[in-house]
Amino acid sequence: RVSVSTKEDAWHGSIRWEQAGMRYNIRIIAPMGQGTVEIAGDRQHAKIRDSSGKTAQGTDIEGLVAQELGWQLPLTSLLYWIKAVPDPRFPIREQWASADGLTATLKQTDWTANYLSYQVVGNLNLPKKIFMNNDRYKLRLAIKHWRIQSQHAY
């Protein structure tokens, strides 16, 4: 599940996130038939397709999502943060571990990610619930199932 909220608006839905290295395919499904958005790409290319079939393409996923959906979300950083790993492109402002040594809080750029729970997947501890925010957005991710196709999550 995913929810995005601002002071003016809120949105929630289901999300299916597939990732292999820096290649990603994210499908967001709004409740009660309100529509689907697919976001796909890699480091050099990004594409968005909405439920009407309208497609937009570009090289910057954040700019494309802002232009097409009106959301200013750090999707490239989320490719790392969803796994509780810092984005190597930016300095870490703060990072705290829980008593069991897992990342509890990560601050990079203007975002704070709080990792509220983890689940064991094979021999890995991966996030189950993540609350993220900056001055404008609150982003909530509840991850029901991880499927790892190799021994490494990243």
Side-chain angles (χ1 to χ4, degrees), residues 20-137:
M22 292 305 294
R23 181 173 291 279
Y24 54 88
N25 189 318
I26 304 165
R27 184 178 178 142
I28 303 169
I29 305 161
M32 299 202 259
Q34 294 178 18
T36 300
V37 174
E38 291 186 50
I39 304 167
D42 55 31
R43 287 182 192 228
Q44 286 89 30
H45 182 49
K47 179 171 71 170
I48 295 178
R49 186 176 69 198
D50 67 18
S51 55
S52 71
K54 178 185 171 197
T55 301
Q57 297 185 48
T59 57
D60 171 32
I61 188 61
E62 283 90 358
L64 193 59
V65 167
Q67 173 186 318
E68 297 298 317
L69 303 177
W71 303 340
Q72 294 178 335
L73 300 175
L75 291 174
T76 303
S77 292
L78 274 173
L79 297 174
Y80 297 95
W81 296 345
I82 197 169
K83 299 173 290 190
V85 174
D87 183 336
R89 299 173 305 150
F90 302 108
I92 299 168
R93 289 185 16 237
E94 291 182 42
Q95 185 172 15
W96 301 311
S98 61
D100 53 8
L102 300 172
T103 299
T105 300
L106 174 63
K107 293 184 179 186
Q108 278 193 296
T109 64
D110 63 337
W111 285 86
T112 299
N114 294 298
Y115 299 88
L116 301 172
S117 62
Y118 282 80
Q119 54 193 311
V120 176
V121 181
N123 61 348
L124 301 170
N125 286 300
L126 294 171
K128 184 174 185 175
K129 190 178 285 187
I130 309 167
F131 284 10
M132 302 178 66
N133 67 285
N134 69 2
D135 290 340
R136 184 167 178 205
Y137 291 94

